[in-house]
């Protein structure tokens, strides 16, 4: 009788332990998520595959791209606001691109960089040859506060599982975001990416 | 691991005891329920897909769309390069809102749309018959991204296959996209969902 | 008595666990090698010597410094130099000769690697090296732009230009990753 009770108790305990481990285990997207290195504006982030330094962040109602003669083209509009992140990036050992540049807003939505033009995320980055340029995003104005920059080499998430990533705090507090939106310029001109 | 030594050999081979049968039946029932639950439980299967008209909104898990009246035109409204070429085109236009959590493209939306022309009853293929799809903005056709929470007007251009009469009606089925674990991996991805609505549209010109 | 029995179970576990892990991991290895071009067989040529892999004899013919050929061309990134790399490959067997004209074409990925392990792929710019008859990769085309086998014993010369940081130029060596049978040829300088 005592043995039976002991067996039951052990079984129950083991079952509880299994349930506990199951609960404590992070979900599969987090387990396979890219391995992010944290950073902030003005500080270089060194992942294993690339280095990235965000130099400045701006917002604008419209953007213009310069042509071959450096003249600004027509204004491109958005239903939300344009967020322009100026950054310097370089590959460490092998050439890559940063096509997985995303603005992740406080509600968890991920905004992939705009596909409009050859911005920094489309540039071929070579080891030892840093490039400077803009990352361009389009988001609803009310999601600006709390947005962070998440950068991986590929736009398809499946290619970045457990891969290198930079996660950069853009310092977008409620007050700062509100001020940026109050003082939003009607237009910004984006020059093409240049190597440094 | 081993049987207690006091138990006589052969005691295990007696007739099945009732509690074993009860447990087995309960186990089988439990398995059926456990498998059926994630697939929607034992409720009756959903009714037929609703029929809608132009101007009515259908919201899925990835896109909410509101189609306009389709147009039949003989000049390509979205040429990839150079001047518009003559031809026979069906133009579908929508107000689209990305209600998902990540960036989508017009190509993803095209996966969810199955237009069938009448007269002729011919389905248009999104690979073979679709010639363009873009966000209508700034008088350019170079934008295809649909960002979460930013409504856009989208134009889809299909060629009307040769040999078919000029279309007067389009039956457009709008299918859902759901974000869930895939067939090959447990990682969630956008997968085709159920049909959400059938739009009965009259073609203008 | 019982602890000895447990010991056997423990030993069995020690053997079975690595076997189970191996059975899961090893089938992926080939896929990984095919996908990345890493791994597989390797051949290294000492400076001035040849390396042979799968019946192909590779040689580094030379690395010279190139420059932008046209006057008004796009300038190079600052603090970079152009490395013009000429390599040659010679099939020694009939199978190796046919390798050049197989379905889908032979695949060689050329790259230069510096002492620190940094890696650069050929530049797409055609104005960085003097014009020659050399191939751009391991293929030879006939008049109709169809792939042709390279006859046994005949040399195919390949030229590529690389834009590399100036400090990497002196220590560059050449690496060719081959597919579909994964393999890597390293040509030292």
């Amino acid at each position: 009788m005592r043995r039976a009770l002991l067996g039951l108790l052990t079984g129950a305990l083991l079952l509880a332990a299994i349930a506990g481990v199951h609960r404590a285990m992070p979900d599969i997207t987090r387990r396979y998520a890219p391995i992010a290195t944290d950073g902030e504006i003005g500080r270089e982030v060194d992942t294993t595959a690339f280095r990235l330094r965000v130099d400045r962040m701006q917002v604008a109602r419209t953007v213009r791209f310069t042509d071959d003669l450096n003249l600004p083209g027509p204004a491109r509009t958005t239903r939300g606001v344009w967020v322009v992140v100026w950054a310097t990036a370089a590959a460490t050992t092998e050439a890559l691109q940063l096509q997985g540049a995303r603005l992740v807003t406080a509600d968890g939505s991920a905004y992939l960089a705009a596909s409009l033009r050859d911005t920094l995320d489309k540039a071929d980055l070579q080891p030892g040859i840093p490039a400077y340029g803009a990352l361009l995003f389009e988001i609803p104005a009310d999601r600006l506060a709390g947005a962070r920059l998440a950068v991986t080499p590929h736009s398809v998430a499946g290619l970045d599982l457990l891969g290198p990533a930079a996660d950069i705090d853009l310092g977008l507090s409620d007050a700062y975001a509100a001020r940026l939106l109050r003082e939003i310029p009607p237009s910004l001109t984006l020059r093409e990416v240049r190597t440094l | 691991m081993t049987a207690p030594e006091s138990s006589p050999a052969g005691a295990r081979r007696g007739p099945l005891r009732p509690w074993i049968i009860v447990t087995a039946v309960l186990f089988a029932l439990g398995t059926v329920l456990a498998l059926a639950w994630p697939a929607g439980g034992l409720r009756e299967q959903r009714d037929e897909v609703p029929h809608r008209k132009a101007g009515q909104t259908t919201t899925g898990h990835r896109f909410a769309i509101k189609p306009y009246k389709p147009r039949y035109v003989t000049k390509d409204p979205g040429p990839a390069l150079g001047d518009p070429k003559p031809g026979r085109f069906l133009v579908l236009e929508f107000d689209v809102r990305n209600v998902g959590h990540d960036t989508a493209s017009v190509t993803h939306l095209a996966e969810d749309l199955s237009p069938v022309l009448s007269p002729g009853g011919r389905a248009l293929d999104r690979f073979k018959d679709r010639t363009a799809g873009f966000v209508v903005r700034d008088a350019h056709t170079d934008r295809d991204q649909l960002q979460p929470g930013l409504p856009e007007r989208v134009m889809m251009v299909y060629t009307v296959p040769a040999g078919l009469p000029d279309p007067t009606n389009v039956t457009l089925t709008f299918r859902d996209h759901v974000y869930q674990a895939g067939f090959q991996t447990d990682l969630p991805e956008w997968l085709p969902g159920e049909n959400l609505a059938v739009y009965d549209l009259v073609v203008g010109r | 008595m019982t602890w000895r029995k447990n010991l056997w179970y423990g030993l069995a576990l020690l053997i079975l666990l690595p076997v189970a892990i191996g059975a899961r991991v090893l089938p992926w290895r080939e896929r990984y090698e095919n996908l990345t071009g890493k791994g597989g067989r390797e051949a290294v040529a000492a400076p001035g010597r040849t390396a042979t892999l799968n019946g192909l004899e590779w040689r580094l013919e030379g690395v010279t410094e190139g420059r932008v050929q046209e006057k008004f061309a796009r300038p190079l990134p600052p603090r970079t130099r152009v490395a013009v790399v000429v390599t040659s490959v010679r099939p020694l067997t009939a199978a190796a000769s046919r390798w050049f004209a197989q379905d889908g074409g032979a695949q060689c990925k050329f790259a230069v690697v510096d002492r620190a392990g940094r890696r650069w792929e050929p530049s797409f710019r055609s104005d960085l090296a003097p014009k020659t008859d050399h191939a751009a990769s391991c293929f030879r085309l006939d008049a109709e732009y169809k792939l042709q086998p390279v006859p046994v014993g005949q040399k195919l010369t390949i030229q590529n230009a690389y834009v590399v940081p100036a400090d990497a130029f002196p220590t560059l060596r050449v690496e060719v990753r081959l597919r579909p049978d994964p393999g890597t040829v390293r040509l030292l300088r």
Side-chain angles (χ1 to χ4, degrees):
Chain A
M1 187 62 194
R2 258 180 68 191
R3 260 181 82 167
L5 262 177
L6 203 69
L8 265 177
L9 201 70
T10 318
L13 272 175
L14 279 174
L15 217 68
I18 290 170
V21 167
H22 205 76
R23 282 273 170 93
M25 193 143 78
D27 72 60
I28 187 149
T29 30
R30 289 188 63 187
R31 261 184 286 154
Y32 284 93
I35 298 160
T37 313
D38 289 341
E40 57 195 49
I41 290 190
R43 202 163 59 92
E44 186 180 82
V45 174
D46 189 356
T47 73
T48 49
F50 62 90
R51 293 198 189 91
L52 178 74
R53 190 186 69 221
V54 171
D55 299 307
R56 193 149 87 101
M57 195 228 22
Q58 295 175 290
V59 294
R61 286 260 174 251
T62 67
V63 289
R64 294 164 191 273
F65 300 97
T66 55
D67 60 12
D68 294 341
L69 299 169
N70 252 337
L71 298 171
R76 309 306 299 267
T77 61
T78 171
R79 284 300 284 259
V81 290
W82 291 112
V83 177
V84 184
V85 178
W86 298 93
T88 310
T92 12
T93 52
E94 287 197 30
L96 52 73
Q97 297 183 328
L98 299 180
Q99 297 226 18
R102 289 178 174 87
L103 214 57
V104 181
T105 53
D107 68 325
S109 297
Y111 291 80
L112 197 64
S115 60
L116 262 180
R117 205 52 72 90
D118 289 347
T119 37
L120 186 64
D121 50 310
K122 279 103 191 161
D124 279 315
L125 302 175
Q126 301 290 339
I129 309 175
Y132 174 79
L135 296 166
L136 179 63
F137 303 94
E138 183 183 12
I139 65 167
D142 59 358
R143 295 192 191 178
L144 182 64
R148 298 171 66 83
L149 178 70
V151 180
T152 59
H154 305 97
S155 60
V156 178
L159 296 174
D160 287 319
L161 303 180
L162 299 174
D167 188 359
I168 292 162
D169 185 354
L170 297 172
L172 282 165
S173 64
D174 289 355
Y176 183 47
R179 208 189 85 201
L180 281 174
L181 291 174
R182 254 196 329 271
E183 298 165 4
I184 188 166
S187 188
L188 270 183
T189 302
L190 307 191
R191 282 169 203 288
E192 64 175 20
V193 174
R194 63 197 165 88
T195 45
L196 300 177
Chain B
M1 221 163 236
T2 50
E5 286 178 19
S6 58
S7 76
R12 290 167 162 208
R13 277 198 297 258
L16 281 179
R17 289 176 204 162
W19 67 269
I20 295 184
I21 298 168
V22 170
T23 313
V25 168
L26 280 179
F27 182 76
L29 264 177
T31 309
V32 168
L33 283 176
L35 287 175
W37 204 255
L42 296 177
R43 278 172 294 125
E44 211 174 314
Q45 202 185 340
R46 236 183 63 178
D47 292 350
E48 262 194 21
V49 181
H51 280 250
R52 301 211 166 118
K53 292 196 164 49
Q56 292 183 307
T57 304
T58 305
T59 305
H61 287 92
R62 192 171 206 188
F63 300 113
I65 65 163
K66 186 177 91 178
Y68 288 86
K69 191 175 178 179
R71 284 179 295 135
Y72 171 71
V73 296
T74 51
K75 214 161 88 177
D76 191 351
L81 270 179
D83 292 328
K85 289 173 198 66
R88 303 167 72 221
F89 300 96
L90 179 77
V91 181
L92 301 181
E93 269 189 86
F94 309 87
D95 279 338
V96 180
R97 191 184 165 90
N98 178 350
V99 293
H101 64 275
D102 61 359
T103 302
S105 79
V106 170
T107 315
H108 293 132
L109 177 63
E111 290 171 22
D112 293 342
L113 302 172
S114 320
V116 176
L117 299 183
S118 59
R122 170 69 196 272
L124 294 179
D125 186 84
R126 71 187 150 96
F127 297 112
K128 265 193 356 231
D129 301 321
R130 197 170 70 97
T131 60
F134 49 86
V135 170
V136 182
R137 184 165 282 281
D138 306 332
H140 280 76
T141 61
D142 58 353
R143 289 171 76 166
D144 66 345
Q145 283 178 318
L146 296 164
Q147 302 285 7
L150 294 178
E152 296 285 4
R153 187 159 172 147
V154 169
M155 189 185 279
M156 297 277 186
V157 184
Y158 299 83
T159 47
V160 177
L164 277 191
D166 296 352
T168 58
N169 292 78
V170 178
T171 311
L172 177 74
T173 307
F174 174 48
R175 194 192 60 187
D176 202 3
H177 246 109
V178 285
Y179 194 73
Q180 52 180 227
F183 292 111
Q184 302 218 2
T185 74
D186 288 338
L187 286 162
E189 54 188 315
W190 285 108
L191 296 172
E194 293 175 11
N195 287 340
L196 292 172
V198 175
Y199 282 95
D200 301 307
L201 306 169
V202 180
V203 178
R205 58 194 67 210
Chain C
M1 182 64 197
T2 47
W3 70 266
R4 195 170 283 180
K5 209 157 121 194
N6 287 344
L7 186 71
W8 283 117
Y9 281 125
L11 278 177
L13 207 64
L14 269 183
I15 296 163
L16 281 176
L17 211 65
V19 168
I21 291 172
R24 280 201 72 141
V25 171
L26 286 179
W28 286 90
R29 197 188 146 105
E30 196 187 320
R31 245 196 263 187
Y32 170 79
E33 287 176 355
N34 269 321
L35 214 68
T36 59
K38 288 175 189 166
R41 298 214 291 151
E42 234 174 69
V44 183
R49 311 291 287 268
T50 61
T52 307
L53 186 73
N54 298 341
L56 296 167
E57 187 190 71
W58 296 85
R59 181 192 282 277
L60 177 58
E61 303 284 345
V63 179
T64 52
E65 179 156 5
R67 53 183 188 82
V68 180
Q69 303 284 313
E70 283 151 35
K71 220 176 172 183
F72 298 106
R74 197 154 50 93
L76 291 175
R79 296 180 302 283
T80 56
R81 290 165 78 178
V82 176
V84 179
V85 176
V86 179
T87 48
S88 68
V89 56
R90 194 160 59 132
L92 301 176
T93 61
S97 163
R98 282 194 302 276
W99 177 77
F100 287 93
Q102 65 183 315
D103 280 347
Q107 287 184 45
C108 323
K109 272 191 151 176
F110 282 84
V112 289
V113 184
D114 77 346
R115 191 187 292 142
R118 297 185 295 176
R119 202 182 142 76
W120 295 269
E121 281 167 22
S123 169
F124 292 114
R125 286 178 66 165
S126 59
D127 62 337
L128 301 178
K131 292 257 179 299
T132 57
D133 298 340
H134 300 329
S137 189
C138 51
F139 57 81
R140 165 174 294 192
L141 303 174
D142 62 12
E144 284 158 3
Y145 295 100
K146 282 211 182 95
L147 287 172
Q148 254 189 336
V150 176
V152 175
Q154 213 182 85
K155 210 186 212 181
L156 178 70
T157 309
I158 297 153
Q159 174 177 294
N160 285 124
Y162 300 84
V163 179
V164 300
D167 61 331
F169 190 89
T171 64
L172 292 181
R173 57 194 166 78
V174 178
E175 204 179 276
V176 194
R177 285 181 184 169
L178 303 173
R179 273 161 57 170
D181 321 321
T184 306
V185 178
R186 288 180 221 287
L187 306 169
L188 308 184
R189 188 159 70 105

